[in-house]
Amino acid sequence: MIRLKTILQYKYTTLIILLIVLLISIIRISIPYKTIIDINTKEVIGIVTNIKETEDKIVITLKSDEKLMSTYYKKEEEKKKLKLGIKVKLTGEISLPNENTIPNTFNYKKYLNNQNIFYTMKVSSIEVINNNESTLYKLKNKLNNYIENFKSKSYIYTFITGNKNDLNEETYKQYQTLGVSHIFAISGMHVSILAAIIFKLLYKLKDNTKYYIIISFLLFYAFITSYSASILRSISLYICLFINKRFNLYLKTINVYYIAIAILLIINPKLIFNIGFQYSVITSYALIKYNYLIKGNYIIKCLKISLIAFLFSLPITILNNYEIN
């Protein structure tokens, strides 16, 4: 333990670890994925992990032998029996996702492939095989049902989970045009606020016990947000900071940050392609690295934070959106 501690405290150790993991991640991504689903299959059985409802269809993410994105157009009679976590049998036609036909526009196939989804399915019928969801999905369904009672349910759901499924598409495009769509983004701020609130509520407990409870809650919140990339980044950093404090490693925050990112890339190298992950990693790095510049009164600090975040996220915005709001 002492030897490991000494190695990690070396100035460039954590950065070297991150660069090695990044290189390995690129190699792992470049290896062609062998899909399990047979394109000629007419029936697929799996667990419902996400449901997106529009005016004329239901889009279901199914976790079978591998993930599958399926679309069902007979909405009303099926919506009532569908919920997260149940096992269903989908019958229909499987096909490859569509690619973009116009350069520099949204590539649906690439978007799905980065989530390890390689096929889509046009569903003709749905059969529920097992209606008993797990405890985690049961809690998530209860939260969704509770939000359904509010008049502004689509906004509340988006603010809490970051999931824009229920948000009117035209309304969201207006937010994007105005350049304020980030107000719906789940970020490290959510994690910080939740952690601070729980920490205060558990003031009578020992610090280590508090941290264990907070980490457990944050991992559940990650599940609620469908493992949003920015949330994963925030939680991994929080856990690594706790370990740094718990075992007296005395690592600088930036070095702990490198380790947190490396762990996430080891688990899922395709996070590199996630725009939310890119924004979160780059802007957080900038704010940690140049924290010493954020001085002055409240307004000056806010302006400096915004400027640093804007400048470092600018290349990602241009690369992915080909425009700046």
Side-chain angles (χ1 to χ4, degrees):
M1 185 68 183
I2 296 174
R3 182 177 292 180
L4 176 63
K5 183 177 176 180
T6 305
I7 294 171
L8 289 174
Q9 286 176 346
Y10 179 66
K11 188 175 181 181
Y12 297 108
T13 299
T14 53
L15 180 57
I16 292 170
I17 291 172
L18 177 58
L19 292 174
I20 292 172
V21 170
L22 187 60
L23 178 61
I24 294 171
S25 298
I26 293 170
I27 294 171
R28 288 172 64 191
I29 292 167
S30 64
I31 299 172
Y33 181 84
K34 292 183 180 179
T35 181
I36 302 172
I37 294 178
D38 182 359
I39 196 168
N40 298 313
T41 301
K42 301 296 182 183
E43 296 180 347
V44 180
I45 296 174
I47 303 295
V48 177
T49 59
N50 192 40
I51 302 170
K52 179 180 180 180
E53 183 182 0
T54 63
E55 292 181 0
D56 63 337
K57 63 184 179 182
I58 303 171
V59 180
I60 305 164
T61 305
L62 195 75
K63 185 179 179 182
S64 182
D65 294 327
E66 64 183 60
K67 290 172 72 176
L68 179 72
M69 188 68 72
S70 53
T71 305
Y72 189 70
Y73 286 91
K74 297 178 182 178
K75 170 186 162 184
E76 293 302 327
E77 65 271 23
E78 300 295 343
K79 173 62 179 173
K80 293 178 182 178
K81 66 181 182 182
L82 276 176
K83 56 184 178 178
L84 299 175
I86 63 172
K87 182 180 282 190
V88 297
K89 180 171 75 173
L90 304 181
T91 304
E93 297 290 332
I94 294 178
S95 60
L96 291 168
N98 295 323
E99 293 193 72
N100 57 322
T101 54
I102 302 172
N104 301 335
T105 55
F106 180 67
N107 189 325
Y108 186 58
K109 183 177 181 180
K110 187 176 179 181
Y111 168 75
L112 290 181
N113 286 178
N114 290 339
Q115 301 177 59
N116 290 322
I117 301 175
F118 301 95
Y119 291 107
T120 58
M121 186 179 200
K122 187 175 181 181
V123 180
S124 57
S125 66
I126 301 174
E127 179 187 344
V128 177
I129 295 176
N130 189 338
N131 202 36
N132 296 321
E133 68 272 45
S134 66
T135 303
L136 287 176
Y137 277 115
K138 192 172 289 185
L139 291 171
K140 191 171 183 177
N141 284 324
K142 283 185 178 181
L143 176 63
N144 292 342
N145 293 334
Y146 178 72
I147 293 173
E148 283 286 330
N149 297 321
F150 291 90
K151 189 176 181 180
S152 303
K153 59 183 179 181
S154 58
Y155 293 96
I156 295 171
Y157 186 69
T158 305
F159 276 121
I160 292 175
T161 68
N163 193 323
K164 306 172 189 68
N165 288 349
D166 293 333
L167 197 63
N168 183 277
E169 190 173 338
E170 186 178 340
T171 303
Y172 185 67
K173 283 182 178 178
Q174 291 175 351
Y175 279 108
Q176 287 180 312
T177 304
L178 293 170
V180 294
S181 59
H182 59 274
I183 63 174
F184 294 115
I186 298 293
S187 65
M189 182 188 70
H190 292 73
V191 172
S192 299
I193 292 173
L194 285 171
I197 292 171
I198 298 171
F199 198 88
K200 289 290 184 183
L201 291 173
L202 303 176
Y203 67 95
K204 290 185 178 181
L205 299 178
K206 293 180 180 179
D207 278 359
N208 285 341
T209 306
K210 288 181 190 176
Y211 281 116
Y212 290 134
I213 294 173
I214 291 169
I215 289 169
S216 299
F217 180 83
L218 291 179
L219 289 173
F220 172 69
Y221 184 60
F223 171 76
I224 292 294
T225 62
S226 300
Y227 301 106
S228 162
S230 56
I231 286 292
L232 289 176
R233 195 275 310 159
S234 303
I235 293 175
S236 66
L237 178 59
Y238 188 90
I239 293 172
C240 288
L241 286 171
F242 166 66
I243 293 171
N244 184 44
K245 180 181 178 181
R246 175 71 177 80
F247 295 100
N248 299 317
L249 299 177
Y250 302 111
L251 297 178
K252 293 181 179 178
T253 303
I254 192 66
N255 293 328
V256 176
Y257 187 70
Y258 292 149
I259 294 173
I261 300 305
I263 291 171
L264 287 178
L265 291 178
I266 290 171
I267 296 170
N268 182 10
K270 286 193 174 182
L271 279 173
I272 295 172
F273 296 124
N274 187 292
I275 297 176
F277 183 75
Q278 294 171 10
Y279 275 123
S280 181
V281 168
I282 295 298
T283 53
S284 297
Y285 166 80
L287 293 172
I288 293 171
K289 188 71 176 177
Y290 298 100
N291 184 57
Y292 66 92
L293 296 176
I294 305 172
K295 297 177 180 177
N297 60 40
Y298 179 77
I299 295 175
I300 296 298
K301 284 182 178 179
C302 287
L303 289 173
K304 286 182 177 179
I305 289 171
S306 296
L307 181 61
I308 292 171
F310 172 75
L311 291 175
F312 275 81
S313 63
L314 187 59
I316 302 172
T317 303
I318 296 172
L319 180 64
N320 290 284
N321 301 330
Y322 305 96
E323 65 177 10
I324 305 168
N325 290 320

